[in-house]
Amino acid sequence: MSTRPPTPTTTGRSVYGLRVYGLDHVVELRGGEGPCPAEMTVEIRQTDAPPPPPVPVDERRSVRRLADGRHLALDRAAGRATFFGDPLPADLLAHPYLGPVATTFSRWAGRETFHAGAFVLDGRAWAVLGSRTAGKSSLLAALAARGVPVLTDDILVVDGRVAYAGPRCVDLRQPVPQVTADMRAARGGTRWRVSLPPVAPRVPLGGWIFLRWGPAPALVPVGATRLLPHLAAHRSWRQLPSDPAVLLALATLPAWTLTRPRRWEPLAATCRLLHTTLGKESGRLAPISGARGTA
């Protein structure tokens, strides 16, 4: 028996470079109603029917068992993602359960995906990469509190040199004192969720920022020879193959290692450093035009 909640419209939602149907009730996707060129269409379904047996991902389909015991079946030809199990709350559908859907369909389309967030400065998206405890979300929430648009929190989908917007939220393991926006409990009380305003569905990619902890805020350039393995290491769901030429092209963009203390107080200085450095870099980057995926 299907347990998919009714959808009030058939317009779909624009997220991760997808036009997603079946999630009109998800608040975090309501900033993505506008059209986005080159979107792939995916219908999200939920059902409590018995799941099919697992199938390793190939170029056509996948059935995988999720960590909570649910199964996720993906069908490329049908443009369909089906969750088997108890109905998922809307906040979990927004994040993290939409992530594997976006990752697989994007890689099927030749796009690259990273475990990363991104913010927008001077019309370009700057990717923020780091380990699970590197403070990506807290930095993005602090930037959002200062009026800097956040493109995505946890998964970055890239097509050529264009980055796509994610759900309109940032999830924190604990509240950030510098974030004055309203926060609410989400994901069964395991996260604090900060709502984000609407943003353009896709933005030219400016470069990369790798996070590490250190004594004081500092930005150190990353050379091209070191950047390529760094990018490869932060690809999401590495079982899916990547085109080496895509990673090589992405490794030509500017990159830095951002060092900052674990304390909350230096966040303001860190945000100012990013704004100053990236503002100068934006003026040196050539405009993107006439390329595949150009905004």
Side-chain angles (χ1 to χ4, degrees), residues 37-108:
E39 282 183 325
M40 298 171 287
T41 298
V42 180
E43 180 186 10
I44 307 294
R45 294 182 175 181
Q46 296 193 68
T47 178
D48 59 5
V55 175
V57 63
D58 58 22
E59 292 301 314
R60 300 182 298 110
R61 64 186 184 125
S62 168
V63 180
R64 59 185 293 200
R65 181 182 174 88
L66 303 177
D68 63 0
R70 291 181 175 85
H71 285 70
L72 171 61
L74 304 175
D75 187 322
R76 181 179 185 179
R80 183 180 303 129
T82 305
F83 291 97
F84 291 84
D86 294 336
L88 285 160
D91 65 327
L92 287 176
L93 282 167
H95 179 61
Y97 283 84
L98 191 56
V101 177
T103 297
T104 306
F105 275 91
S106 295
R107 298 284 270 282
W108 277 337

Side-chain angles (χ1 to χ4, degrees), residues 7-182:
T7 56
T9 74
T10 58
T11 59
R13 297 289 184 244
S14 179
V15 61
Y16 294 131
L18 307 175
R19 173 60 53 171
V20 177
Y21 292 87
L23 297 183
D24 286 4
H25 65 296
V26 178
V27 173
E28 291 83 353
L29 303 185
R30 292 184 182 171
E33 292 91 341
C36 175
E39 282 183 325
M40 298 171 287
T41 298
V42 180
E43 180 186 10
I44 307 294
R45 294 182 175 181
Q46 296 193 68
T47 178
D48 59 5
V55 175
V57 63
D58 58 22
E59 292 301 314
R60 300 182 298 110
R61 64 186 184 125
S62 168
V63 180
R64 59 185 293 200
R65 181 182 174 88
L66 303 177
D68 63 0
R70 291 181 175 85
H71 285 70
L72 171 61
L74 304 175
D75 187 322
R76 181 179 185 179
R80 183 180 303 129
T82 305
F83 291 97
F84 291 84
D86 294 336
L88 285 160
D91 65 327
L92 287 176
L93 282 167
H95 179 61
Y97 283 84
L98 191 56
V101 177
T103 297
T104 306
F105 275 91
S106 295
R107 298 284 270 282
W108 277 337
R111 297 171 178 174
E112 191 52 86
T113 59
F114 297 91
H115 180 54
F119 61 92
V120 180
L121 191 63
D122 293 332
R124 294 182 182 271
W126 301 92
V128 178
L129 307 96
S131 66
R132 190 168 295 277
T133 59
K136 295 186 298 296
S137 294
S138 59
L139 176 61
L140 291 169
L143 288 166
R146 288 162 174 79
V148 176
V150 170
L151 192 69
T152 187
D153 175 24
D154 193 57
I155 292 176
L156 176 63
V157 176
V158 175
D159 186 8
R161 289 195 177 185
V162 168
Y164 287 100
R168 301 292 77 216
C169 61
V170 171
D171 284 1
L172 303 169
R173 287 182 172 83
Q174 56 182 309
V176 177
Q178 284 81 358
V179 175
T180 57
D182 290 337

